Amino acid sequence: MYMGRHPEVLWAQRSDKVYLTVALPDAKDINVKCEPQGLFSFSALGAQGEPFHFTLTLYGTILPEGCKTKPGLRNIICSIQKEQKGWWKRLLKTEEKPAPYLKVDWNKWCDEDEEESRSDSASEDGDHAAYVGDEDESSDDEGMLYLPDLEKVRGNKKR
């Protein structure tokens, strides 16, 4: 008996956390359970009351008290605290190919070597974005691909 569908789940990690973004607009009755051995369970009702659920056996152990869920209008963001700081080789314990509804969240993705320098480079990127915007107005769309804070910089200029 089939008891629900799987929403799309995007994932990213930092050395201390794993982020799961569940794409489920207007979800109701959201229930998230984190167990120390790395078991993560999610269930919710969609906008039309249809049930969605999934369970993941994560690569490493987690701290249930460090798991937080933030529901939004379009998705639910789950922040999962790793028991030990470090980079996981993959999201799931199993080496099998992950289910098709699990995808890497490239917008939140951060590599090990990027994590330390990320806060330093944020201001550099902002300065660079302002420079690129002044120099060549025809590259508006191109700049968006590389400089996510371009809109903020532009907003500051318009004042």
Side-chain angles (χ1 to χ4, degrees):
M1 183 162 67
Y2 192 62
M3 295 288 293
R5 302 178 357 207
H6 294 114
E8 182 180 68
V9 179
L10 301 176
W11 78 280
Q13 71 171 317
R14 299 288 182 275
S15 59
D16 59 338
K17 286 185 169 51
V18 170
Y19 297 100
L20 298 180
T21 303
V22 183
L24 196 55
D26 301 320
K28 298 176 206 61
D29 297 335
I30 299 163
N31 185 11
V32 171
K33 188 174 179 188
C34 294
E35 296 179 25
Q37 71 273 25
L39 205 59
F40 175 88
S41 302
F42 173 93
S43 66
L45 295 177
Q48 275 76 47
E50 67 278 27
F52 287 87
H53 67 85
F54 63 90
T55 299
L56 303 174
T57 304
L58 301 173
Y59 183 79
T61 53
I62 58 176
L63 296 172
E65 63 276 10
C67 294
K68 295 179 178 48
T69 304
K70 184 179 173 200
L73 291 175
R74 301 202 181 283
N75 52 40
I76 299 108
I77 297 172
C78 302
S79 168
I80 302 165
Q81 182 80 42
K82 294 178 181 177
E83 184 178 42
Q84 293 183 333
K85 209 169 179 183
W87 292 83
W88 293 354
K89 289 191 270 188
R90 57 188 175 271
L91 175 65
L92 304 178
K93 187 167 275 206
T94 178
E95 291 189 36
E96 295 172 20
K97 187 177 177 192
Y101 67 89
L102 277 175
K103 298 181 172 121
V104 172
D105 188 346
W106 295 114
N107 293 327
K108 286 192 177 96
W109 192 262
C110 182
D111 289 324
E112 280 180 74
D113 54 341
E114 286 180 304
E115 190 175 41
E116 292 83 27
S117 65
R118 196 165 199 150
S119 56
D120 299 340
S121 66
S123 60
E124 292 169 21
D125 286 349
D127 296 342
H128 183 64
Y131 179 74
V132 169
D134 289 340
E135 173 112 344
D136 183 6
E137 291 183 20
S138 66
S139 68
D140 284 353
D141 292 336
E142 274 182 1
M144 291 296 289
L145 294 173
Y146 304 107
L147 303 167
D149 294 326
L150 194 56
E151 288 301 318
K152 289 183 200 167
V153 172
R154 284 196 182 130
N156 292 341
K157 280 188 194 175
K158 289 177 185 173
R159 291 182 192 157

